[in-house]
C-alpha cells in the first residue's frame, strides 16, 4: 500500500508560481508511474500531468506552464506551476500506479493522495 501526501497548495495571484509536492511512503516508489490530477468546484476530476520512465505528458491547458518532476532519493514528485491563472483553481491530487506506462485516466491509478487546494485570484 502506497501512501501519498501532497503539500504546497495555497492562495496566490494570477501570474504567480507554486510548487506542489507529493511524498510517498513506499521505498520502491521509483518503479511507479505518477500523475497529477485536479478537480475544480462543480467539475469532474481532470488530468494535469504524468511521469513514467523518464517520459512526461501534459494536459493542453497546462502545457508550457507546468512541469512534473520527481526525486527518487526523496520518494517525492513535484508539480511546478508557473504563470498561474484563475482557471487553475482546484484541489490538486497526486496518484501512482504500479509499473510503467503513461496514462491520463484516473481509473488507471491505484493510489491517491488527499489533495492540496490551489486558489488563484484574478
Amino acid at each position: 500500500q502506497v501512501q501519498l501526501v501532497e503539500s504546497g497548495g495555497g492562495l496566490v495571484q494570477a501570474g504567480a508560481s507554486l510548487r506542489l509536492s507529493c511524498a510517498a511512503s513506499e521505498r520502491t516508489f521509483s518503479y511507479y508511474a505518477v500523475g497529477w490530477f485536479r478537480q475544480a468546484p462543480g467539475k469532474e476530476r481532470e488530468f494535469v500531468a504524468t511521469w513514467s520512465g523518464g517520459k512526461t505528458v501534459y494536459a493542453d491547458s497546462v502545457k508550457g506552464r507546468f512541469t512534473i518532476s520527481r526525486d527518487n532519493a526523496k520518494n517525492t514528485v513535484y508539480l511546478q506551476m508557473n504563470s498561474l491563472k484563475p482557471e487553475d483553481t482546484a484541489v490538486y491530487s497526486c496518484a501512482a500506479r504500479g509499473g510503467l506506462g503513461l496514462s491520463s485516466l484516473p481509473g488507471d491509478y491505484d493510489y491517491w493522495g488527499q489533495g492540496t487546494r490551489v486558489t488563484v485570484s484574478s
Side-chain angles (χ1 to χ4, degrees):
Q1 185 78 8
V2 179
Q3 294 182 327
L4 304 173
V5 179
E6 302 96 333
S7 62
L11 171 63
V12 297
Q13 291 188 328
S17 297
L18 277 177
R19 188 177 78 159
L20 306 182
S21 300
C22 173
S25 62
E26 177 59 50
R27 286 181 296 175
T28 60
F29 187 55
S30 60
Y31 297 106
Y32 289 77
V34 293
W36 282 97
F37 294 80
R38 66 187 182 185
Q39 187 165 19
K43 295 187 177 181
E44 293 187 354
R45 178 180 286 168
E46 68 170 347
F47 166 75
V48 176
T50 182
W51 189 103
S52 179
K55 299 180 181 179
T56 57
V57 175
Y58 296 90
D60 288 343
S61 59
V62 306
K63 201 173 296 182
R65 299 187 298 123
F66 291 11
T67 302
I68 186 172
S69 63
R70 64 192 298 169
D71 184 337
N72 289 330
K74 296 181 178 180
N75 294 333
T76 301
V77 176
Y78 303 99
L79 184 68
Q80 177 67 43
M81 306 186 296
N82 299 328
S83 302
L84 282 162
K85 304 175 181 180
E87 51 263 44
D88 293 319
T89 294
V91 174
Y92 285 72
S93 300
C94 67
R97 55 193 294 260
L100 300 178
L102 298 163
S103 176
S104 62
L105 301 176
D108 286 343
Y109 289 80
D110 305 306
Y111 307 102
W112 291 83
Q114 83 291 348
T116 184
R117 185 175 301 278
V118 172
T119 304
V120 184
S121 63
S122 58

